[in-house]
Amino acid sequence: MAIAQWLNQTIGFFIFFFLDIFDYLFCFIYKTLDLFFEYEWKPCYCSFPLEAQAKTRKIIVSERGDYSNVVSMTRTKIHFDEISDTLYARGPSLLMRLSKLVSSVKFFNYTGLIMRHNVVDSCDNTYDSKKKTRSGSKKRLMTLNSTVVEKLPTTPRWSDCHCSFCTSWLSPSNKDSLYVKVQQPKDNKKARDNVVFIHGFLSSSSFWSETLFPNFSDTAKSNYRLIAVDLLGYGRSPKPNDSLYTLREHLEMIEKSVISQYKLKKFHVVAHSLGCVLALALAVKHPGAIKSLTLLAPPYYKVPKGVQAAQYVMRKVAPKNVWPPMQFGASLISWYEHLGRTVCLVLCKSHRLVDSLTRLLTLNRMRTYLIEGFLCHTHNGSWHTLHNIIFGSGGKLDSYLDYVRDHVDCDITIFHGRKDEVIPVECSYSVKTRVPRATVHVIPDKDHITIVVGRQKEFARELELIWQTSKTIYK
């Protein structure tokens, strides 16, 4: 065991050293290609801070801690969206340090400007007791750096897929709301309840609609309205290039496209992986609306005191190992902005070809809905969602779970595959420690995907039982 670990670390050192070099080179390659195709030198997170430009509409405001804030200004409001510091501080790469040194000399750094502002955060002020103050009295000291996130065009970039499926959201009727798959009871008046399904990272609503929806009993189909959503940046949902895919943006789109659109007052939530973070945030923001929470493989890592939470979670999810393959893949897309974009350029832009080859090689015996979810996204969306939601939420989940434990009136059920190599089963036990009333079911011989795929009939029965027996915890 010790020898295998030593080999993994030694081989990984050399492989990731060369990946550092390749990502550094691809930075200049993509800047050149962007300039050629889009007539503009596009910013990235390799050089921080970037040169300030007056024409931009978003600026990053830095704070001490695990995140910075993006300031979006409109005529009536100033929005502060938290972004993970892992976007621009991902490790002690020698090339990254040299790049930052050059950038600090080349670009003028505005470090003297101090901003004081009153902030009422639409989500965080609900659950964080330390931040609860009267409106108008809450102030934080911030230093405005010269880093600017450019307002990118809404239309797909040259490196994104331009097929009719991936660009269907650009039609006027679709561009302002998420794609939602709804399975209605035959008699809508008999619908007793609503269930909202939230998929995980690199997935889509098909993860639910192709597996569970056909396998619910006739009784469930006649009593529940089943609602599966494509999250912002995935499937048929909008993939705006000007979005940083922050928690606020994801939640607001779910609220607008699901809760408001279908006039939901009470509903059950079923969420997988990344979706668990959004489900908990949704429960915090709408505590009285949640009837039950079912979480599959929640990415909750106990962060030691004194450690930057986002950085800690990134190293737990993507520890820079070459084995097992899932960890190597996670490390590749987490640590390397430009190599990750190359993967998207090769695979996502060719997803129709991958789908056709899969059908051909399997003689059309394999359903390819997972390929659709895995490949139908943009690098901008997946990159920012990974860092701002999965990594960036590392410092928030403690307070989310505490609030759910103390204030959200619902049953909580957790499922986790024993062989999950993406999110270890210890994460679910940690949730149980934080929320003692939660029930944890560990499924033997199942991993991150097969916890649902392959056991959909059994899982459909388990969900029906949860909904039928959901009860009020607090009186």
Side-chain angles (χ1 to χ4, degrees):
M1 194 63 155
I3 296 177
Q5 185 177 3
W6 179 83
L7 284 174
N8 197 11
Q9 292 176 348
T10 303
I11 295 173
F13 174 82
F14 290 102
I15 289 179
F16 286 106
F17 173 75
F18 285 109
L19 290 180
D20 286 339
I21 296 175
F22 288 140
D23 197 64
Y24 185 79
L25 295 176
F26 271 93
C27 174
F28 295 98
I29 292 173
Y30 278 115
K31 284 183 181 294
T32 303
L33 291 173
D34 289 341
L35 182 63
F36 178 79
F37 286 108
E38 300 176 0
Y39 311 105
E40 196 170 359
W41 190 264
K42 298 293 183 180
C44 65
Y45 291 100
C46 294
S47 301
F48 186 84
L50 296 171
E51 184 179 14
Q53 298 182 32
K55 63 181 178 180
T56 55
R57 301 184 185 181
K58 292 184 178 181
I59 56 178
I60 291 180
V61 179
S62 66
E63 289 186 282
R64 290 184 178 180
D66 296 310
Y67 54 82
S68 297
N69 289 272
V70 176
V71 183
S72 305
M73 289 170 283
T74 65
R75 288 185 177 182
T76 58
K77 294 181 180 179
I78 298 179
H79 295 292
F80 292 87
D81 283 3
E82 293 177 0
I83 64 169
S84 173
D85 74 335
T86 58
L87 283 167
Y88 48 81
R90 296 188 295 281
S93 166
L94 176 61
L95 290 172
M96 185 66 71
R97 288 176 177 175
L98 290 174
S99 175
K100 289 183 179 181
L101 179 61
V102 173
S103 298
S104 64
V105 174
K106 182 178 179 182
F107 297 119
F108 184 78
N109 185 20
Y110 298 93
T111 56
L113 179 59
I114 304 297
M115 293 183 63
R116 290 183 180 270
H117 62 274
N118 296 331
V119 179
V120 179
D121 192 302
S122 60
C123 182
D124 289 355
N125 65 353
T126 309
Y127 64 82
D128 195 342
S129 59
K130 293 182 180 180
K131 294 181 180 179
K132 284 184 178 179
T133 57
R134 292 184 179 180
S135 176
S137 65
K138 180 179 176 184
K139 295 183 179 181
R140 289 186 291 178
L141 187 65
M142 292 184 171
T143 302
L144 179 63
N145 287 332
S146 61
T147 305
V148 178
V149 179
E150 291 204 50
K151 181 76 173 180
L152 299 177
T154 303
T155 54
R157 302 187 66 179
W158 66 269
S159 54
D160 297 334
C161 181
H162 291 71
C163 75
S164 58
F165 180 92
C166 291
T167 58
S168 60
W169 64 275
L170 288 171
S171 64
S173 59
N174 297 329
K175 65 187 305 182
D176 295 326
S177 63
L178 302 177
Y179 173 82
V180 180
K181 175 71 175 179
V182 181
Q183 183 168 293
Q184 298 269 15
K186 292 181 180 179
D187 185 352
N188 291 339
K189 294 181 180 180
K190 291 185 178 180
R192 190 182 75 187
D193 235 330
N194 299 281
V195 186
V196 177
F197 294 83
I198 307 175
H199 65 76
F201 185 61
L202 301 184
S203 189
S204 71
S205 59
S206 297
F207 183 78
W208 310 110
S209 62
E210 295 288 335
T211 56
L212 296 179
F213 284 19
N215 287 290
F216 285 119
S217 66
D218 292 338
T219 301
K221 291 179 181 178
S222 62
N223 286 325
Y224 298 99
R225 178 166 57 176
L226 309 175
I227 305 171
V229 60
D230 282 353
L231 293 175
L232 184 69
Y234 294 93
R236 294 183 174 89
S237 283
K239 305 172 180 65
N241 285 321
D242 62 340
S243 171
L244 294 181
Y245 297 85
T246 61
L247 182 64
R248 181 181 68 86
E249 290 175 292
H250 277 287
L251 287 183
E252 286 185 353
M253 288 298 284
I254 293 174
E255 290 171 325
K256 177 181 179 180
S257 307
V258 180
I259 298 177
S260 297
Q261 177 67 27
Y262 294 94
K263 298 178 174 59
L264 304 186
K265 302 298 182 183
K266 297 269 188 177
F267 53 93
H268 303 272
V269 178
V270 181
H272 178 232
S273 191
L274 158 75
C276 296
V277 178
L278 299 177
L280 289 170
L282 202 63
V284 165
K285 200 169 183 183
H286 302 274
I290 309 299
K291 298 197 69 172
S292 73
L293 268 178
T294 303
L295 308 177
L296 285 72
Y300 171 58
Y301 297 86
K302 285 187 174 180
V303 180
K305 291 183 179 180
V307 176
Q308 287 188 328
Q311 296 285 343
Y312 178 83
V313 172
M314 185 175 73
R315 282 161 176 76
K316 297 294 287 186
V317 175
K320 276 197 169 184
N321 289 333
V322 295
W323 192 267
M326 290 292 287
Q327 286 192 357
F328 177 72
S331 299
L332 181 66
I333 64 175
S334 300
W335 291 82
Y336 301 105
E337 179 180 0
H338 305 291
L339 292 180
R341 186 178 177 186
T342 303
V343 172
C344 285
L345 176 62
V346 173
L347 294 179
C348 297
K349 199 163 185 175
S350 307
H351 70 89
R352 290 167 297 175
L353 176 61
V354 175
D355 184 271
S356 299
L357 289 176
T358 302
R359 293 178 184 273
L360 178 63
L361 294 175
T362 62
L363 300 179
N364 211 31
R365 289 195 297 264
M366 179 178 175
R367 301 175 71 184
T368 56
Y369 62 90
L370 290 177
I371 294 178
E372 171 191 305
F374 188 71
L375 298 181
C376 293
H377 61 88
T378 65
H379 177 253
N380 180 64
S382 61
W383 171 259
H384 285 99
T385 296
L386 176 65
H387 284 269
N388 289 334
I389 306 299
I390 296 182
F391 303 154
S393 65
K396 299 179 180 181
L397 287 184
D398 282 349
S399 52
Y400 282 173
L401 291 170
D402 289 348
Y403 189 89
V404 169
R405 178 194 63 209
D406 299 332
H407 302 288
V408 180
D409 185 3
C410 72
D411 287 325
I412 302 169
T413 309
I414 303 170
F415 292 87
H416 212 122
R418 175 69 70 183
K419 293 187 175 181
D420 194 330
E421 294 181 346
V422 179
I423 306 295
V425 70
E426 287 75 21
C427 289
S428 287
Y429 289 131
S430 296
V431 174
K432 170 72 174 178
T433 301
R434 202 87 192 186
V435 187
R437 77 170 186 270
T439 302
V440 178
H441 300 280
V442 177
I443 313 301
D445 301 321
K446 299 300 178 183
D447 59 25
H448 200 64
I449 300 299
T450 56
I451 192 174
V452 174
V453 179
R455 64 181 296 269
Q456 49 262 36
K457 290 184 178 180
E458 180 182 355
F459 187 52
R461 300 290 88 76
E462 291 167 341
L463 285 177
E464 291 178 33
L465 183 61
I466 291 171
W467 303 335
Q468 292 167 7
T469 58
S470 62
K471 60 183 181 301
T472 299
I473 305 298
Y474 303 102
K475 302 297 183 182

